[in-house]
Amino acid sequence: MKLFVDNLTNVDVSYLDPKRGLVGESWLAGLLLEGELNEESMICDFGIVKKNAKQWLDQYVDHTLVVPEKMDGLKIEEKDGFLTVSYPHPKGGQFNCYGPKEAFCIIDAEVVDPSTLSDWIAKRLTGSIPGNIAHMRVALNTELIGGAYYHYSHGLKKHDGNCQRIAHGHRSKIEVYIDRTRQPELEKAWSSKWKDIYVGTAEDLVKQAEIDGVQHNFYEYQAPQGRFTLSLPSACCYDVDSDTTVEQIANHIAQCFKQEHPDRAVSVKAYEGVAKGAIAEYE
């Protein structure tokens, strides 16, 4: 017998990729459990499955930087419960990220993709769910988006939860309206501009400097979970004069389009991952 749970929860992460660099991603997690029926004619209780699996994913995967420890050139150093992760960035120079160990998800793979991460999760998640489970499969699916979208990473230092981690991210669609008419070309242009972007807060940018002839942005802040630092090529960064909450992101994008169309009504619906986000409007 098989038991399935579709769309169990959203998993919002960033991950390191040897070709793309730092990538923000959002997956819909689902489970397929195989096993024998118990005395209640169940493999296991749905309520327990959903509760335990979501708690595990929230603790170990969601809002982390997922790092494939077998990636060429990767270095991981641990000291006093903090990790430093570095590797040669595909745009040149060096990627470096420092933060509490819990802000990272280190998987035994060469690359991060839905297959490698789901296999890693399944091996560790099975033991946290009681029942007659002989085999578990984890599915990580992306939202079907008909229009434009972008992958972005960020950190929210004022957040009490795991959003404070300096390198977590989302795969997000965007809707732009000028005089209440949808603008697919503007959406496509912005998504191209923000392809695999790190959206930083200007006050957290402590310096810019060259590494191997490539200009880099260096970010640093203190959050409730500890000190975080991040450096990567400036070409991969976009700084705003505010926090990078989705409310401020929607407002910033709307302001940019309002400057281009000062005499027209502008509305931006910016998503933060799947099925959530903010709307900013200027008349």
Side-chain angles (χ1 to χ4, degrees):
M1 293 294 295
K2 297 180 181 180
L3 189 72
F4 68 90
V5 182
D6 290 337
N7 299 338
L8 168 70
T9 188
N10 298 344
V11 176
D12 293 306
V13 302
S14 289
Y15 67 89
L16 296 184
D17 185 84
K19 295 181 179 179
R20 297 170 61 185
L22 180 66
V23 182
E25 185 60 271
S26 298
W27 284 301
L28 293 163
L31 301 178
L32 181 66
L33 312 175
E34 298 181 33
E36 299 294 328
L37 300 183
N38 61 19
E39 64 276 3
E40 297 177 314
S41 296
M42 299 178 179
I43 296 174
C44 51
D45 185 277
F46 268 125
I48 295 175
V49 170
K50 292 190 288 185
K51 178 182 177 181
N52 288 26
K54 186 178 187 309
Q55 286 180 345
W56 192 94
L57 289 167
D58 286 347
Q59 181 175 354
Y60 296 108
V61 183
D62 191 44
H63 286 76
T64 65
L65 172 59
V66 185
V67 179
E69 64 180 355
K70 296 180 181 178
M71 184 171 67
D72 286 344
L74 181 77
K75 294 181 180 179
I76 302 175
E77 298 178 1
E78 181 176 355
K79 183 178 181 181
D80 299 330
F82 284 73
L83 294 185
T84 300
V85 174
S86 60
Y87 88 110
H89 197 280
K91 290 187 179 295
Q94 190 83 6
F95 172 93
N96 287 279
C97 186
Y98 170 88
K101 186 176 180 180
E102 294 76 17
F104 301 87
C105 175
I106 312 296
I107 70 170
D108 54 345
E110 295 180 358
V111 295
V112 177
D113 59 30
S115 177
T116 59
L117 183 54
S118 61
D119 287 347
W120 182 88
I121 292 171
K123 291 176 183 176
R124 289 153 181 82
L125 179 58
T126 303
S128 71
I129 301 176
N132 297 333
I133 302 172
H135 183 67
M136 175 189 294
R137 281 187 284 173
V138 176
L140 296 174
N141 299 310
T142 53
E143 177 189 16
L144 295 176
I145 299 176
Y149 61 90
Y150 49 85
H151 298 257
Y152 78 99
S153 301
H154 68 152
L156 304 175
K157 65 177 180 289
K158 299 175 185 176
H159 193 264
D160 286 335
N162 292 335
C163 292
Q164 67 187 266
R165 295 167 176 174
I166 200 167
H168 75 276
H170 313 273
R171 175 182 182 262
S172 301
K173 60 184 178 181
I174 183 173
E175 298 175 16
V176 178
Y177 298 86
I178 304 295
D179 289 338
R180 297 171 181 80
T181 300
R182 185 88 178 260
Q183 305 291 321
E185 290 304 313
L186 294 182
E187 296 166 2
K188 183 178 179 181
W190 193 272
S191 295
S192 177
K193 183 178 183 178
W194 270 18
K195 180 181 179 181
D196 296 341
I197 200 74
Y198 183 80
V199 184
T201 297
E203 70 177 16
D204 300 328
L205 180 64
V206 294
K207 69 175 181 178
Q208 290 182 310
E210 287 192 358
I211 299 177
D212 298 332
V214 177
Q215 175 138 310
H216 284 57
N217 281 15
F218 292 77
Y219 302 94
E220 180 177 349
Y221 58 69
Q222 185 73 28
Q225 291 180 358
R227 177 172 166 263
F228 292 87
T229 71
L230 176 72
S231 60
L232 68 168
S234 302
C236 304
C237 304
Y238 185 105
D239 294 331
V240 295
D241 293 323
S242 67
D243 295 318
T244 58
T245 61
V246 70
E247 294 92 338
Q248 293 285 23
I249 285 175
N251 188 57
H252 175 81
I253 298 172
Q255 286 180 341
C256 290
F257 284 123
K258 182 63 176 178
Q259 290 175 1
E260 297 175 4
H261 306 278
D263 300 323
R264 304 175 70 180
V266 173
S267 176
V268 170
K269 188 175 184 180
Y271 285 75
E272 185 182 67
V274 180
K276 64 186 189 297
I279 298 171
E281 299 175 325
Y282 286 88
E283 294 296 327

